[in-house]
Amino acid sequence: MASICLILSAAALLLNGLTLLGRVPGRDSGVSNVLIGGLQLLLCTAVAISADGSLPALFAITGTFLFGLTYLSVGVDALAGLGSAGLGWFCGLVAVAAVVFAGVYVADDPVLAVLWVGWAVLWSLFFVLLALGRTSIATYTGWALVLASPLTALVPALLALTGHWPTGPAGAGIAALGEVVVFGGAAALTRRSSRNAATSPAAAPSPAAATSPTAAPAPAATTAS
C-alpha cells in the first residue's frame, strides 16, 4: 500500500507544482487532490482497522494519514474557493513531524530518513508560502514540487515495488544527492524563470496566486506508511 500511495503522491506533487507555476488550472489539480487524498485516507483507514491496535502498524501509516488529509484539504480549498492559511499551518505541523520521522528511521532505513528530511523542507516551504503569505517563494516552491515528484516519490516507489530498495550509507548518499538536485535545480530554474519574466512580463506566472487554495501545494506520501 505504501508504494501505491507514494506513486499517487508523485502525481499530486507534479500537478500542484505545475499549478503554482501557472501551467495547470487550480480547479483541475483540485479534483485530483480530492481523489488522491480521499483514496489514501480510505486505504489508511482499512490498514488501521486491520492493524488491531498494533502500534508499529499504526505508526507506519501515520505519514500517509497526514498527507492524505493534506491532499483532501488542498482539493476542497481549491474547488470551494476557501482560504489556505489554515492549510499552511497544518503543513508546518507536518514539517515538524517529518523531522521526527527522519530521526526514527535514520538507524534502520537511512534512505527513508533522507527522504523524510527532504519532505520536511518541502512542507516548511508550504508553511512559509501559505501560512506566512511569502509569495516570493511561489515559483521556487513550484519547481521544487515538480522535481521532487520523480526523485522523492515516483522513483523510490518503483524501487520498493520491484524489490530494489537501496540500503546503507551508499543508498542514503544517492538519496541525498537526489535532494540536492531537487532544491538546487529548483533554485536554478527559478532564476531562469525570473530572467524570462523580465524579458516577457505578460507570460510570467503570478506569484500572488500562490496564496489562493487553487494553487496550494501538497506534500508527498511516505514509504513508511
Side-chain angles (χ1 to χ4, degrees):
M1 186 203 76
S3 298
I4 294 173
C5 287
L6 198 56
I7 290 176
L8 292 173
S9 293
L13 281 170
L14 178 62
L15 288 172
N16 285 305
L18 292 174
T19 300
L20 273 176
L21 295 172
R23 309 296 177 85
V24 173
R27 291 185 66 84
D28 289 2
S29 61
V31 171
S32 297
N33 277 294
V34 168
L35 294 174
I36 291 171
L39 179 57
Q40 288 186 341
L41 289 177
L42 285 174
L43 290 173
C44 287
T45 300
V47 172
I49 292 173
S50 64
D52 195 26
S54 169
L55 292 181
L58 293 174
F59 179 80
I61 62 172
T62 300
T64 304
F65 260 122
L66 290 173
F67 308 142
L69 182 59
T70 303
Y71 294 137
L72 187 58
S73 298
V74 169
V76 171
D77 283 354
L79 297 175
L82 305 177
S84 55
L87 175 62
W89 284 98
F90 178 77
C91 289
L93 172 66
V94 178
V96 174
V99 174
V100 176
F101 279 118
V104 170
Y105 288 111
V106 69
D108 295 332
D109 194 340
V111 173
L112 184 55
V114 171
L115 291 176
W116 270 114
V117 171
W119 295 331
V121 174
L122 279 178
W123 296 323
S124 296
L125 290 174
F126 308 148
F127 168 74
V128 174
L129 176 64
L130 300 175
L132 303 184
R134 304 294 178 82
T135 58
S136 59
I137 69 166
T139 301
Y140 177 80
T141 305
W143 282 120
L145 282 168
V146 169
L147 295 176
S149 171
L151 295 179
T152 72
L154 181 61
V155 171
L158 293 177
L159 289 174
L161 285 171
T162 57
H164 294 91
W165 185 259
T167 59
I174 294 173
L177 179 61
E179 293 188 354
V180 170
V181 172
V182 169
F183 298 108
L189 290 167
T190 299
R191 287 193 294 269
R192 190 181 72 174
S193 296
S194 297
R195 288 195 298 268
N196 292 340
T199 58
S200 180
S206 173
T211 57
S212 164
T214 61
T222 171
T223 54
S225 58

